[in-house]
């Protein structure tokens, strides 16, 4: 049973890492599109990597679980989500001036 839990936890962590990589690719793609004047936008998916890492943390059978929580810290979509209130305040201020 411990082996099955370990394998499932690793699979979930790999899936979370894939989401982190896709989010970074989306941000890099958006920066390239903006530089080239293209209006195409790539969307990031915040919070999903955190949910998957937490699920893996719960399932992981060994004592040293702390490294599973590093994955959400690597996700740029989670970082950008922290800036959401700042962006909303800036947008509200610009609308007030118009």
């Amino acid at each position: 049973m411990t082996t099955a839990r370990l394998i499932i936890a690793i699979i979930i962590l790999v899936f979370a890492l894939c989401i982190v990589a896709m989010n970074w690719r989306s941000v890099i793609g958006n920066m390239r599109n903006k530089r080239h004047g293209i209006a195409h936008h790539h969307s990031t998916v915040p919070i999903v990597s955190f949910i998957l890492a937490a699920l893996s943390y719960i399932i992981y059978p060994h004592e040293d679980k702390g490294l599973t929580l590093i994955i959400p810290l690597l996700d740029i979509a989670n970082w950008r989500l922290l800036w959401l209130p700042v962006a909303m305040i800036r947008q509200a201020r610009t609308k007030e001036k118009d």
Side-chain angles (χ1 to χ4, degrees):
M1 187 64 176
T2 303
T3 306
R5 286 178 54 197
L6 178 66
I7 291 170
I8 292 170
I10 290 173
I11 289 171
I12 292 171
L13 277 178
V14 168
F15 188 63
L17 282 172
C18 289
I19 290 175
V20 169
M22 287 187 291
N23 285 338
W24 274 99
R25 175 62 184 118
S26 296
V27 170
I28 292 169
N30 286 336
M31 289 177 9
R32 284 185 179 176
N33 287 343
K34 187 176 182 181
R35 186 175 41 216
H36 293 290
I38 301 171
H40 188 70
H41 177 73
H42 300 280
S43 179
T44 58
V45 182
I47 309 254
V48 174
S49 63
F50 178 74
I51 293 169
L52 290 174
L55 182 64
S56 178
Y57 183 85
I58 293 168
I59 294 173
Y60 194 72
H62 299 296
E63 298 277 334
D64 53 346
K65 299 179 179 187
L67 293 176
T68 60
L69 298 178
I70 290 177
I71 292 174
L73 296 175
L74 297 174
D75 195 357
I76 195 164
N78 293 336
W79 296 355
R80 293 183 61 144
L81 188 63
L82 294 175
W83 285 100
L84 183 64
V86 174
M88 291 175 72
I89 291 171
R90 285 183 184 168
Q91 186 177 10
R93 285 185 181 172
T94 57
K95 285 185 179 179
E96 285 179 2
K97 291 179 182 179
D98 293 339

